[in-house]
Amino acid sequence: MADKIPGFVTEVVDCRWSNLSKPDVEFGEASANHNITVVVDEPLNKKLQEILKKSGAKKINGLKEKDGVTTLKAKTKSHIEKGSFPCFDSQAKPSEVVAMGGDGVKLRLQPVVLSRDKSLSLYLNGVQIVHKGERSGSSSGGFTSIEGGFVSSPSPSKDIPTTDEELPF
């Protein structure tokens, strides 16, 4: 690693994915890291392009474009031994909760130009959870109620006793 560039804090961006609750060890223990993937909106893109130009780097590592959406993956090896990466709440107080997909977050990033290939990496130095998003695992499955639509009957209660005669086997 070479040239030091001042770190910065993003505006609120949408988190797509995170490995903050435990280290990502997909490529083995030696490469364990915490990481977060966020959507690159216009203000973040403008900031990244400004840093890229000032740094003289050839490209920004961790940027990916798919289906017209650009994302940025930022990583860190900090706090691997602790298990989870420490996040902050909207009041800038330490939180036991970590950011997950669907959350609105601010990231504290440290840009570094790598001497090996003159590319720019953005290292994760902090995460602030500004608002928690709805999870697909929630009771509504991410859907809203539709008036006049299909309504299923309630599931039978597990507390209702059954007799052997009621069982189909």
Side-chain angles (χ1 to χ4, degrees):
M1 290 188 266
D3 306 331
K4 179 113 172 156
I5 302 167
F8 69 100
V9 176
T10 68
E11 296 297 321
V12 178
V13 290
D14 292 326
C15 176
R16 278 289 167 99
W17 179 261
S18 80
N19 284 302
L20 299 176
S21 60
K22 63 181 182 176
D24 180 0
V25 293
E26 181 177 351
F27 298 106
E29 292 291 329
S31 66
N33 67 77
H34 288 292
N35 59 65
I36 188 167
T37 302
V38 297
V39 175
V40 178
D41 59 9
E42 191 54 41
L44 180 54
N45 185 52
K46 185 176 177 182
K47 180 70 173 175
L48 294 177
Q49 294 310 312
E50 174 186 309
I51 292 170
L52 181 64
K53 185 176 179 180
K54 284 182 181 178
S55 73
K58 295 178 181 178
K59 68 171 189 151
I60 299 173
N61 298 319
L63 282 179
K64 184 184 248 184
E65 193 274 326
K66 184 177 179 183
D67 300 327
V69 177
T70 302
T71 57
L72 171 69
K73 184 176 189 177
K75 301 178 184 182
T76 184
K77 288 192 173 276
S78 296
H79 307 286
I80 296 297
E81 71 287 346
K82 293 180 183 176
S84 66
F85 186 82
C87 294
F88 294 85
D89 67 14
S90 64
Q91 302 303 301
K93 304 276 189 237
S95 172
E96 294 295 318
V97 176
V98 297
M100 303 188 98
D103 294 346
V105 298
K106 284 184 164 190
L107 305 180
R108 192 172 68 238
L109 300 172
Q110 177 60 58
V112 176
V113 176
L114 303 180
S115 57
R116 70 169 185 244
D117 64 357
K118 297 294 183 204
S119 63
L120 182 73
S121 286
L122 296 156
Y123 291 98
L124 182 64
N125 283 343
V127 177
Q128 181 182 28
I129 305 167
V130 177
H131 63 272
K132 295 296 285 175
E134 186 172 316
R135 307 277 173 269
S136 59
S138 68
S139 61
S140 66
F143 296 103
T144 58
S145 176
I146 298 175
E147 192 66 37
F150 167 76
V151 179
S152 67
S153 56
S155 303
S157 172
K158 293 180 182 178
D159 297 333
I160 298 174
T162 58
T163 64
D164 287 343
E165 296 166 2
E166 295 172 339
L167 299 175
F169 47 91

